[in-house]
Amino acid sequence: MKQRLTTEEYAAGIASGDRVILAKAISLAESSLPEDQHQSAELLAKLNPKTGDTIRIGITGVPGVGKSTFIEVFGKYITSLHKKIAVLTVDPSSQLTKGSILGDKTRMEELSKNPLAFIRPSASGNTLGGTTGRTRECILLCEAAGYEVIIVETVGVGQSETGVKNLVDFFLLLMLAGAGDELQGIKKGIMEMADAVVITKADGDNIKRAKAAQADFQHALNLFTENISGWKPKVLTSSALTNTGIKEVWAAILSFKDHAIHSGYFDLQRKEQRVTAFRESFEQLLRSELEQFPEIQKKSSILEKEVADWKISAQEAAQQLLELYRQSIKKA
Ligand SMILES: Nc1nc2c(ncn2[C@@H]2O[C@H](COP(=O)(O)OP(=O)(O)OP(=O)(O)O)[C@@H](O)[C@H]2O)c(=O)[nH]1
Ligand SMILES: [Mg+2]
């Protein structure tokens, strides 16, 4: 059996920016084994004071909009400013398709070789709990390793955006120009969450359409009531192919951060996110606690069937299961 690193070894490795140890710590956080979860919590407690002075950016958009290509070019720009960038991908499909959407073609070959960049496709489908699995823990680990710009990429098909919005400071929506249907299957709710919209592939014949789409989206966004941060979402255009509009996206993010820090919104949002993290972690712990009792798992399946067949009400079944749990801990 391979030797386990101690929590101190993990912490020291991460503090020194060791990518191999960072990757191992992320695997530890993603593991559902109780002893791994325990050590991961211990490690995060140790690293806690080192995390936070960063910008967390969520990037979403329909498959093919150009997320990975954009992130590659954006990431190269960030590293040219001598800043460290980490890219985490959340793949809501991984449970069904074993991660085929993001897993095998990250399109970030060059960026992944850059010593200032760290890229990690996340196996969110394997973990218990919410749609974002352990992404929050991964963000904190990357920040502790000195990454100041954190990107969380998700496929814009609606399942994981709300989860990701809860993890980031800035939410960026990538859109295509002139694909007919104005919202392209992107739900209005996702538009409302965006702090900026970027029209991608604004190059060649597409430039004119991209500019027109920019005006349309800006108009559409202006119709929404102002977001509680007081920030007016920006609409920009970019091309990863010709490397245009990339600096402007970074400038918009910095301008948002400045605005949000001054208004107090930046802190407020992170405070709320920490409380959400606490609640979710506790629920995850409760769930794995229940899994320690096989009799509860067994009874739960029996009750599910009875509830389905309407032999017993849902509320009564829940009460019975709670009663069995109380008896089980008394015996244990
Ligand atoms: N002309 C042009 N093509 C682009 C640009 N960016 C991406 N593409 C092309 O668009 C296609 C999709 O790009 P990806 O970056 O893989 O898109 P994605 O959003 O990550 O897609 P999924 O990972 O499948 O969700 C690829 O064939 C790219 O070469 C751009 O700025 N201009
Ligand atoms: Mg991609």
Side-chain angles (χ1 to χ4, degrees):
M1 222 188 97
K2 63 177 189 245
Q3 227 196 323
R4 228 187 146 82
L5 292 178
T6 65
T7 306
E8 286 67 30
E9 285 168 332
Y10 274 119
I14 288 172
S16 73
D18 185 323
R19 295 145 66 105
V20 176
I21 294 191
L22 173 61
K24 279 193 181 155
I26 290 180
S27 300
L28 186 76
E30 286 175 342
S31 161
S32 52
L33 295 175
E35 65 265 32
D36 289 347
Q37 278 305 304
H38 188 81
Q39 192 181 12
S40 178
E42 203 176 78
L43 176 62
L44 283 165
K46 246 188 174 5
L47 296 173
N48 201 24
K50 294 201 171 70
T51 63
D53 184 21
T54 57
I55 181 89
R56 304 167 185 167
I57 306 163
I59 296 189
T60 194
V62 293
V65 69
K67 295 179 292 297
S68 305
T69 321
F70 174 84
I71 293 169
E72 162 109 339
V73 177
F74 182 78
K76 280 197 268 179
Y77 175 66
I78 296 296
T79 57
S80 78
L81 305 174
H82 308 289
K83 287 186 186 300
K84 286 174 78 178
I85 180 168
V87 181
L88 306 168
T89 57
V90 176
D91 185 351
S93 70
S94 55
Q95 220 158 8
L96 296 173
T97 62
K98 302 257 182 294
S100 66
I101 292 186
L102 296 165
D104 52 345
K105 47 168 178 92
T106 55
R107 286 189 196 278
M108 294 177 215
E109 283 95 19
E110 265 189 68
L111 187 62
S112 62
K113 288 183 203 127
N114 191 313
L116 293 176
F118 178 81
I119 298 176
R120 172 82 180 201
S122 146
S124 63
N126 299 331
T127 49
L128 295 166
T131 42
T132 50
R134 301 288 179 183
T135 310
R136 191 186 313 270
E137 287 79 355
C138 299
I139 292 174
L140 296 174
L141 290 168
C142 290
E143 290 181 351
Y147 293 88
E148 325 161 59
V149 180
I150 311 287
I151 304 268
V152 181
E153 176 190 1
T154 176
V155 178
V157 287
Q159 291 135 300
S160 54
E161 282 73 18
T162 330
V164 170
K165 172 83 178 163
N166 260 322
L167 300 175
V168 298
D169 307 309
F170 188 91
F171 197 70
L172 185 63
L173 173 63
L174 302 189
M175 300 276 272
L176 290 166
D181 172 19
E182 213 194 339
L183 297 184
Q184 298 166 58
I186 290 280
K187 296 198 179 69
K188 190 165 157 273
I190 296 176
M191 286 272 290
E192 281 171 8
M193 293 190 321
D195 296 300
V197 174
V198 173
I199 317 289
T200 56
K201 310 190 191 183
D203 42 55
D205 295 345
N206 217 13
I207 293 180
K208 244 176 137 173
R209 266 183 294 168
K211 293 286 172 204
Q214 182 180 18
D216 287 349
F217 283 122
Q218 190 69 66
H219 181 70
L221 281 176
N222 289 345
L223 297 178
F224 296 154
T225 49
E226 200 169 75
N227 124 0
I228 54 160
S229 64
W231 165 259
K232 284 203 166 49
K234 299 243 178 317
V235 184
L236 302 158
T237 62
S238 84
S239 165
L241 199 68
T242 60
N243 209 340
T244 45
I246 306 295
K247 284 204 297 289
E248 288 76 3
V249 174
W250 178 237
I253 293 169
L254 288 181
S255 150
F256 167 85
K257 190 177 178 189
D258 198 47
H259 177 276
I261 283 177
H262 280 98
S263 70
Y265 177 75
F266 193 86
D267 243 22
L268 180 74
Q269 181 169 250
R270 284 209 176 174
K271 270 186 185 160
E272 285 175 359
Q273 290 173 345
R274 279 195 294 273
V275 174
T276 305
F278 158 59
R279 290 186 184 142
E280 284 177 5
S281 288
F282 185 62
E283 277 165 27
Q284 269 170 0
L285 284 178
L286 275 185
R287 236 173 290 144
S288 47
E289 171 80 12
L290 286 177
E291 279 164 19
Q292 309 306 307
F293 298 100
E295 67 269 28
I296 293 181
Q297 297 306 307
K298 218 172 125 197
K299 181 76 173 171
S300 175
S301 334
I302 295 169
L303 286 170
E304 274 179 25
K305 193 165 182 316
E306 290 183 2
V307 168
D309 295 341
W310 218 345
K311 289 192 178 134
I312 178 174
S313 78
Q315 293 72 14
E316 194 189 342
Q319 290 290 345
Q320 280 192 20
L321 202 59
L322 181 67
E323 193 44 47
L324 180 64
Y325 172 66
R326 286 178 174 155
Q327 286 167 13
S328 304
I329 45 172
K330 256 188 223 151
K331 271 189 255 157

